Each structure stands twice: as C-alpha cells, then as structure tokens.
Amino acid sequence: MEKTYEIRPDQSIELLKELHILTRDQKLNQDSRRKLKQIYHLANFIEPIIQKYENKPFTLIDHGAGKSYLGFILYDLIIKNTLGKIIGVEINEKLVKKSNQLMQKFRFSNMSFMSQDIDSSNETIKNAEIVTALHACDTATDDAIDFALQKNADWIVVIPCCQAEVYQHLKKNKSNNLNHHLVELYRHGIHSREFGSMLTNVLRCLKLEYYGFKVSVTELVGWEHSMKNEIIIAENIRQKKVSAGARIEKLLADFDLLALKSRFLDI
Ligand SMILES: C[S@@+](CC[C@H](N)C(=O)[O-])C[C@H]1O[C@@H](n2cnc3c(N)ncnc32)[C@H](O)[C@@H]1O
C-alpha cells in the first residue's frame, strides 16, 4: 500500500476524501500530493500568525477560494481550536455551493462561503484580520490586497498566480522603447511574461510597504511542485512608508507603465 505519511495524525481522513485529496482507499495521487504539500507549507506560514490571536476572535478571509482546500484544511488543523472564523470568497457559484455542503456535513460552524467577486465582498464583509489568496488569478491577487488594505487587516498572505496586466503593458509599449536599455530585460516573449510577473510582485510589495506593512517574500515549496511559488507575507505594522510610493512611481516611469499608477498606488 502507498505510504500516507504526509497525512497528519490529527487530520480528518473523511474530509481529505471529500476534498478528493485522498482516494476512497486512502491513497494520494501525484496531483493531490502536490496540492497537499502546498497547503501544508502554507498552513505552516499561517499557523504562527493565527497563534498570535490566542483567545481573541479573528476573521480570516480566503479570496479566490476555489474548492477551498486551504480553508478546509486550515479549519480542520488549526482554526477549529480557536475563536477564529473563516470566510471563503469565490466567484464561481458551483464551487461555493459544494463548499457550503461540505462545511455543513462536517459541522464546521465558524466557516462560511460567499459567492461574490473580491471587489464587491468589500461591502458585505465587515472586518478581516487575516487575508489570504492562494493562486487567485491575475489581478484577483491585487483585489485581495486592496480588500485587505481597505479593511486595515493585520496580516496579508498571498501566493500570486499568473499575471497578465503588467505583461500586456510591457508588450504593448515595447516597440516605442526599443532603444531603452531596460527593454533588454523583456525583449523576448518569455522574458516579458516572467519579468512582468516579477515586476508586478515587486510593485505589490512596495504598495504594501507604502500602506504601512512589513513585507517578507519567500518560496512556498520547491519549484518542482509549482511554478507559482512566491509567497508574500505582510504584517501591518501601521507605519506608512512614503518613500515606497516614490519608488513605485519611479519604477512605473522607468518601464513606461505610468498607466498603471492607480493599480499600484491607490486602494
Ligand atoms: C487558480 S484557482 C485557485 C483556487 C484555490 N485558492 C486553490 O489554490 O486551490 C483561482 C480561483 O479564484 C477565483 N477567482 C478569480 N477571480 C476572482 C474574483 N475576482 N473574485 C472571486 N474569485 C475569483 C476563480 O474562480 C478560481 O476558483
């Protein structure tokens, strides 16, 4: 029989089966092993954050929740023993319906799901102490960041997904800037995409600093498990860094991206 050593002793096997992470005979396939590994790594980053709340209530908002692997596993491993609650926000109604059924089946009383886009959830959700977004597509990561900034959240943990917006602007403006030495960084298509993603994440980090957060960036799991592997963890130390705003503007100007100024400076 295949080893199941990745499953933690205090973990609900039934839940993992319902999430299709485990097969009926409790096996992991390659895909689910990868998913589980990512979620465990992420849970390891989030657990010390949750512990800071000790006996205090808190709300964790998981944006772009998808099938809510992260939410369910976090709830089962950590949140059920705290005064915290978790709300998954997901635009796809079918996924939300399934997650609601699962949540009821397991009687996870401090868990709920909303079928909404991130932007409009800002009106429905009152407060958020912790905001997560795992592989929320393209600018959904930016929406999650803006949501957290508007809620004055204590912590933001995002693992960005594919990024198209900056890439599209770089590509569009490339021919006008061919003689600029910085174009060498993204002259080739593959470099444009990679550089676009990297620049986006750099600008996101600066934006978080600008709005008073201390930022750390690291990798979630080895690159062999996912290409979208960068994790940005931001703690709200409530010290706005005005200089970060100037650096955002300078970068945008250098790369002919000032059209995106409101994306990276406003909330
Ligand atoms: C790549 S999936 C990741 C799902 C999940 N976080 C995970 O890692 O398994 C991205 C999810 O974000 C949702 N999504 C994308 N844009 C969104 C938005 N603006 N508001 C809410 N959900 C969004 C998609 O429907 C999709 O389910």
Side-chain angles (χ1 to χ4, degrees):
M1 186 174 150
E2 197 176 345
K3 279 190 198 169
T4 55
Y5 55 86
E6 288 101 335
I7 311 294
R8 296 187 183 180
D10 48 350
Q11 187 149 30
S12 164
I13 298 293
E14 279 316 301
L15 176 66
L16 292 177
K17 283 191 200 166
E18 289 282 356
L19 291 171
H20 301 291
I21 284 181
L22 280 183
T23 59
R24 286 203 182 140
D25 47 0
Q26 297 190 25
K27 286 185 179 166
L28 281 166
N29 65 31
Q30 212 178 355
D31 255 9
S32 53
R33 175 171 285 123
R34 192 178 304 127
K35 191 87 209 163
L36 196 59
K37 194 161 184 168
Q38 278 183 24
I39 305 273
Y40 277 170
H41 275 260
L42 190 48
N44 284 340
F45 282 110
I46 296 173
E47 189 164 12
I49 294 176
I50 290 177
Q51 280 165 354
K52 290 184 195 295
Y53 291 88
E54 286 188 303
N55 296 320
K56 282 186 279 178
F58 65 90
T59 304
L60 185 154
I61 309 296
D62 183 34
H63 279 308
K67 292 182 182 161
S68 291
Y69 296 108
L70 174 66
F72 278 110
I73 292 177
L74 269 185
Y75 193 92
D76 187 39
L77 286 179
I78 312 166
I79 295 182
K80 70 178 180 204
N81 303 317
T82 70
L83 297 179
K85 65 176 179 184
I86 178 163
I87 303 174
V89 176
E90 167 56 53
I91 204 163
N92 182 326
E93 276 180 38
K94 277 189 189 155
L95 294 178
V96 170
K97 199 172 162 202
K98 276 196 172 169
S99 295
N100 270 320
Q101 286 165 351
L102 205 56
M103 173 270 285
Q104 278 159 13
K105 179 171 177 179
F106 284 90
R107 296 174 201 264
F108 286 170
S109 51
N110 282 336
M111 186 171 206
S112 58
F113 298 92
M114 293 170 49
S115 160
Q116 259 189 325
D117 68 43
I118 299 168
D119 253 355
S120 58
S121 71
N122 196 22
E123 281 160 32
T124 5
I125 296 174
K126 271 203 197 132
N127 37 299
E129 277 71 36
I130 307 171
V131 174
T132 58
L134 170 57
H135 296 154
C137 325
D138 195 10
T139 52
T141 298
D142 300 291
D143 295 340
I145 290 174
D146 286 354
F147 171 95
L149 295 176
Q150 278 158 7
K151 297 290 168 200
N152 197 16
D154 299 328
W155 293 89
I156 305 175
V157 180
V158 293
I159 292 101
C161 198
C162 42
Q163 218 288 335
E165 194 181 41
V166 168
Y167 162 65
Q168 294 295 352
H169 277 77
L170 288 174
K171 206 167 75 165
K172 192 174 85 190
N173 297 344
K174 197 156 38 180
S175 52
N176 297 333
N177 298 307
L178 280 179
N179 294 326
H180 196 298
H181 70 284
L182 288 175
V183 171
E184 300 308 336
L185 291 169
Y186 58 94
R187 191 183 296 278
H188 298 284
I190 184 170
H191 291 162
S192 299
R193 276 195 298 279
E194 284 173 9
F195 184 69
S197 288
M198 189 186 160
L199 185 55
T200 305
N201 289 339
V202 167
L203 290 162
R204 285 168 174 159
C205 291
L206 283 169
K207 178 173 185 174
L208 288 164
E209 287 180 358
Y210 177 61
Y211 281 98
F213 284 72
K214 188 173 123 202
V215 177
S216 63
V217 189
T218 184
E219 61 173 17
L220 179 61
V221 281
W223 290 104
E224 71 277 19
H225 294 287
S226 172
M227 290 304 285
K228 306 289 167 222
N229 200 23
E230 181 170 331
I231 175 167
I232 301 174
I233 302 175
E235 176 185 2
N236 196 351
I237 55 169
R238 296 179 169 85
Q239 286 171 24
K240 256 191 124 177
K241 205 178 200 178
V242 180
S243 63
R247 273 147 54 207
I248 292 172
E249 280 208 55
K250 175 86 173 79
L251 271 179
L252 292 175
D254 285 350
F255 289 101
D256 196 7
L257 292 170
L258 279 170
L260 293 174
K261 190 169 157 184
S262 68
R263 157 77 68 215
F264 294 105
L265 273 170
D266 300 343
I267 51 173

